Amino acid sequence: MTGDKPMPAPTIADRRERFRALHESVCFLIPNPWDVGSAVLLENLGFPALASTSAGFAWTRAKADGAASRDEVIDHLADLVAHTTVPINADYENAYAHAPADVAASVVAAAKSGIAGLSVEDNTGDAANPLYGFDEAVARVKAAADALKGTGVLLTARCEAILLGRPDGMAEVMRRLPAFAEVGADVLYAPGLREPDQIAAVVKAVAPKPVNLLVGWPSPLSVTDIEALGVRRISVGGALARAAYGGMLSVARDIIGAGSFKGFAGIEPSAAINGVFKGQAPQA
């Protein structure tokens, strides 16, 4: 008697190869779960890859964004990898290191978790001096790229100048991202880009390397619009976590403030969520 055998779980190498292939032609969505449960639910919806969120994860520890330690983050990444079958990209902040040699050691430590990619940003984490100098930022990306050679882990280099509200933010993005691409970054990313002409300019500046676009607000641009601008990857950062926490807080405020439970109308049925976690597709 013959029958269909379950497909073997993809290896770490398989996931890394698949993640790299996703960036080669079409635009794809990579949402950001904040814990294992949200990761499993998002994979069940059919997303081809997932990315961690530093903010969302930190909130699960009752910490502010940026306050989780490197060890906590690496344990979290290993947890996401262990409970999913799709490629996982890591929001790895500034690699929890300053000097290029320390960045290199840190990204190698993260790669051991089984992730398929990670991002390194040029935000120092110091409010008084939030952006690494140009030469230092480029040296940090080069150190990360060199350290990851041969691992299959995809390196995303981020310029935070727009997100930090710098008046020269766009100019700095256009200066830094091509330099990051030149020293080995596989994907380029400038969170805070919103205008189509800015997005198109960044895509052109780093071509043929792919660009990740963050959309964590009610953007007038659709996925089709963004793809037409040449973007290859769309992430949402901490927005899904904020949506989840925001929904919970809204209902809880009604309960404690107005004594009303009306906020529970339309929420996801327990059976649907349980169905996913039991390995069964939820009923439509």
Side-chain angles (χ1 to χ4, degrees):
M1 188 175 80
T2 61
D4 293 334
K5 293 182 179 179
M7 294 291 291
T11 65
I12 298 303
D14 291 337
R15 294 204 224 185
R16 290 173 175 173
E17 184 178 349
R18 189 190 315 169
F19 194 48
R20 192 170 292 273
L22 282 170
H23 293 78
E24 290 177 356
S25 56
V26 298
C27 182
F28 71 98
L29 295 159
I30 182 168
N32 304 71
W34 56 95
D35 62 8
V36 167
S38 57
V40 171
L41 290 169
L42 289 169
E43 178 178 3
N44 184 71
L45 289 176
F47 289 102
L50 302 172
S52 69
T53 158
S54 63
F57 170 64
W59 297 336
T60 69
R61 295 292 195 270
K63 295 182 177 182
D65 187 12
S69 70
R70 191 187 81 168
D71 287 347
E72 285 180 300
V73 169
I74 290 177
D75 286 347
H76 168 59
L77 296 173
D79 225 11
L80 293 179
V81 171
H83 286 84
T84 59
T85 63
V86 295
I88 300 293
N89 189 74
D91 177 352
Y92 206 51
E93 302 200 65
N94 69 344
Y96 306 90
H98 298 296
D102 295 332
V103 170
S106 186
V107 298
V108 169
K112 292 177 182 177
S113 69
I115 53 172
L118 60 80
S119 62
V120 173
E121 61 194 51
D122 57 4
N123 187 340
T124 66
D126 179 0
N129 187 25
L131 210 63
Y132 291 105
F134 177 82
D135 291 341
E136 186 177 12
V138 173
R140 284 165 41 81
V141 171
K142 184 179 188 307
D146 289 348
L148 292 173
K149 282 179 181 175
T151 65
V153 175
L154 210 68
L155 174 64
T156 297
R158 293 173 48 153
C159 177
E160 306 289 291
I162 294 174
L163 202 62
L164 289 169
R166 286 177 54 131
D168 63 343
M170 186 61 188
E172 202 60 28
V173 164
M174 295 296 285
R175 179 187 182 207
R176 292 184 179 221
L177 290 191
F180 295 164
E182 184 69 25
V183 296
D186 299 297
V187 182
L188 291 308
Y189 180 16
L193 287 173
R194 296 187 182 220
E195 299 303 322
D197 58 340
Q198 293 181 332
I199 298 167
V202 167
V203 169
K204 182 178 179 180
V206 303
K209 292 194 173 179
V211 168
N212 181 93
L213 183 70
L214 171 69
V215 184
W217 47 85
S219 174
L221 300 175
S222 67
V223 172
T224 301
D225 295 333
I226 293 168
E227 183 173 18
L229 293 170
V231 170
R232 294 279 180 81
R233 190 174 90 192
I234 305 171
S235 60
V236 299
L240 286 177
R242 286 190 287 114
Y245 280 103
M248 179 270 291
L249 288 170
S250 178
V251 174
R253 286 175 183 135
D254 278 349
I255 293 171
I256 196 170
S260 170
F261 299 95
K262 292 179 180 178
F264 289 139
I267 64 173
E268 193 74 9
S270 295
I273 299 171
N274 283 334
V276 175
F277 295 151
K278 290 177 180 177
Q280 303 166 356
Q283 297 297 311

